[in-house]
Amino acid sequence: MHNLKKQPYILAIESSCDDTSAAILKGNIVLSNVVSTQQVHKEYGGVVPELASRAHQKNIIPTVDSALKRAEISKSDLDAIAFTRGPGLLGSLLVGVSFAKSLSLALNKPMIEVNHMEAHILAHLINDGSPTPEFPFLCLTVSGGHTQLVIVNSPLEMKVIGETIDDAAGEAFDKISKIMELPYPGGPLIDKYAKEGNADAYKFPHPKVGELEFSFSGLKTSVLRFLQKEVRKDEKFIENHLNDICASVQKTIVDILVNKIKIASKKTGITRIAIAGGVSANSELRKRLLENTFKWDVFIPDFQFCTDNAGMIGIAGYYKYQKEIFVDQSVVADARLRI
Ligand code: KG4
Ligand code: ZN
């Protein structure tokens, strides 16, 4: 029998994209959160799925070992194993799912499947001293693969009320930075260069889509056309105006995101606003939300829990553990798993 009275030790594993990560939680506290970011994709301008799964294979055992070591516990202390079942790249997910299944069998410990998108949101419930939103709250999840507005009614009840019809917000950052020949992932670099730039230097159009829908492929095309035109006149245009271009692109993306939150908050009457996912690390997005022009209660996760990490998988696992929602060996990875 599982002892549900004491705070459980949960090992969490994340391998949905290009970060191999393992974390140990005791209850809702993260004792260790180890992330090995794969460097191999940098030169390709994006994640190469085949290389990602190979790197996960290589990293997973040392990453788990180091999470256990940092938490100062051993495998036999574990009460459950949580893992990302999807969404993500199938070859990457397979590594984490198969590892979790083997370890669960070897240790005879229960397994908990976690939806990566729900986990990004539940990162807000990690007990790290930062304020935790009460339910219901509205969450904008913005990552490399997804852009969603979600009403969160409880750790196990969420409803997507808006999403992107094409590229994700992080993808827009990455694709635009690729046009400028910056290495992958470009989001953090655009953020960095934008700090020194004039955000009003260039204007890019907002998409015309449904009230709660997002679209970023048009922005990418308009930046591409604009840069091609300018480079024809001055081949050093990008190099000489990099900071201004980055600041203007970043402002456009952040304006689009904040406008959608505004609409969603008005429609739902919810003023507790959270952001999650890799793009929630963006300093302009954080700044704009914290200016608090709209009188929202704003919740922003600690940096280490914004981009892909197993700590967030662990907290999602913890809420399922409390309700004994376990899975057996027949579980399979699902690249298109939805909230
Ligand atoms: O959540 P995440 O680590 O992985 C996915 O599940 O996709 O998000 C990665 C995305 C990338 O597109 C990356 O460029 C973006 O988050 N990102 C940022 C920043 N840090 C990471 N985008 C803008 N500004 C940042 N500071
Ligand atoms: Zn993610």
Side-chain angles (χ1 to χ4, degrees):
M1 273 311 287
H2 318 296
N3 183 355
L4 290 174
K5 294 222 175 62
K6 74 171 173 80
Q7 289 295 310
Y9 281 114
I10 296 178
L11 163 67
I13 292 161
E14 155 63 28
S15 75
S16 66
C17 190
D18 60 338
D19 294 300
T20 318
S21 181
I24 304 290
L25 279 79
K26 186 169 171 55
N28 59 3
I29 296 174
V30 176
L31 300 181
S32 64
N33 185 31
V34 181
V35 183
S36 352
T37 302
Q38 304 175 2
Q39 301 300 328
V40 34
H41 310 286
K42 269 207 164 92
E43 59 190 288
Y44 297 96
V47 177
V48 185
E50 174 66 21
L51 296 180
S53 34
R54 285 189 209 189
H56 283 304
Q57 294 267 30
K58 216 167 77 189
N59 293 342
I60 191 134
I61 290 176
T63 307
V64 169
D65 272 345
S66 121
L68 284 162
K69 221 173 255 155
R70 286 189 206 177
E72 297 180 352
I73 67 162
S74 73
K75 288 196 277 287
S76 57
D77 297 321
L78 294 172
D79 294 292
I81 300 157
F83 63 93
T84 306
R85 180 173 168 223
L89 300 168
L90 189 65
S92 290
L93 290 166
L94 274 175
V95 178
V97 174
S98 309
F99 181 87
K101 284 164 83 167
S102 323
L103 194 65
S104 153
L105 208 56
L107 300 175
N108 192 25
K109 309 280 179 182
M111 260 188 309
I112 304 164
E113 64 155 281
V114 171
N115 176 315
H116 181 90
M117 301 310 295
E118 293 178 3
H120 268 302
I121 296 172
L122 295 176
H124 283 282
L125 305 185
I126 290 171
N127 182 352
D128 62 353
S130 59
T132 298
E134 279 173 35
F135 300 106
F137 66 91
L138 203 57
C139 187
L140 172 75
T141 314
V142 267
S143 72
H146 299 268
T147 301
Q148 293 182 328
L149 274 163
V150 183
I151 297 177
V152 188
N153 289 310
S154 80
L156 300 175
E157 273 171 90
M158 303 186 189
K159 186 168 181 258
V160 179
I161 57 164
E163 57 194 325
T164 181
I165 56 167
D166 44 52
D167 291 350
E171 211 172 349
F173 274 106
D174 298 338
K175 285 183 173 171
I176 291 170
S177 66
K178 191 175 176 186
I179 298 171
M180 298 190 284
E181 295 182 4
L182 298 174
Y184 175 86
L189 293 171
I190 291 191
D191 191 347
K192 180 177 137 201
Y193 295 123
K195 289 197 169 80
E196 308 295 323
N198 170 10
D200 297 314
Y202 312 110
K203 290 262 174 290
F204 300 108
H206 282 213
K208 293 190 176 54
V209 285
E211 270 192 313
L212 292 176
E213 279 176 349
F214 298 85
S215 165
F216 291 102
S217 71
L219 173 65
K220 176 198 64 196
T221 311
S222 90
V223 174
L224 174 67
R225 297 242 167 85
F226 166 74
L227 293 177
Q228 283 171 334
K229 192 179 86 203
E230 295 299 329
V231 168
R232 272 197 294 272
K233 291 185 268 176
D234 165 14
E235 65 177 31
K236 285 202 175 307
F237 179 81
I238 296 177
E239 203 179 310
N240 291 339
H241 300 86
L242 187 61
N243 296 343
D244 288 351
I245 303 168
C246 289
S248 304
V249 165
Q250 177 172 275
K251 178 174 189 292
T252 311
I253 296 176
V254 171
D255 280 347
I256 294 171
L257 297 176
V258 174
N259 267 334
K260 295 290 175 181
I261 299 177
K262 213 162 86 187
I263 297 170
S265 169
K266 218 174 200 170
K267 273 181 111 71
T268 58
I270 300 173
T271 53
R272 280 184 290 269
I273 307 293
I275 53 171
V279 180
S280 62
N282 183 267
S283 58
E284 179 65 20
L285 178 60
R286 288 171 168 245
K287 193 178 114 212
R288 286 280 294 285
L289 290 177
L290 291 172
E291 279 169 3
N292 207 1
T293 327
F294 311 105
K295 308 266 182 292
W296 295 330
D297 287 321
V298 172
F299 299 88
I300 300 179
D302 189 50
F303 273 109
Q304 64 163 324
F305 300 124
C306 285
T307 46
D308 289 350
N309 69 90
M312 69 185 198
I313 305 303
I315 190 77
Y318 167 70
Y319 285 101
K320 285 191 166 175
Y321 181 92
Q322 288 183 325
K323 297 224 166 346
E324 293 193 69
I325 305 174
F326 301 128
V327 288
D328 63 26
Q329 289 285 330
S330 63
V331 69
V332 287
D334 183 350
R336 296 182 177 276
L337 190 65
R338 296 202 34 98
I339 286 184

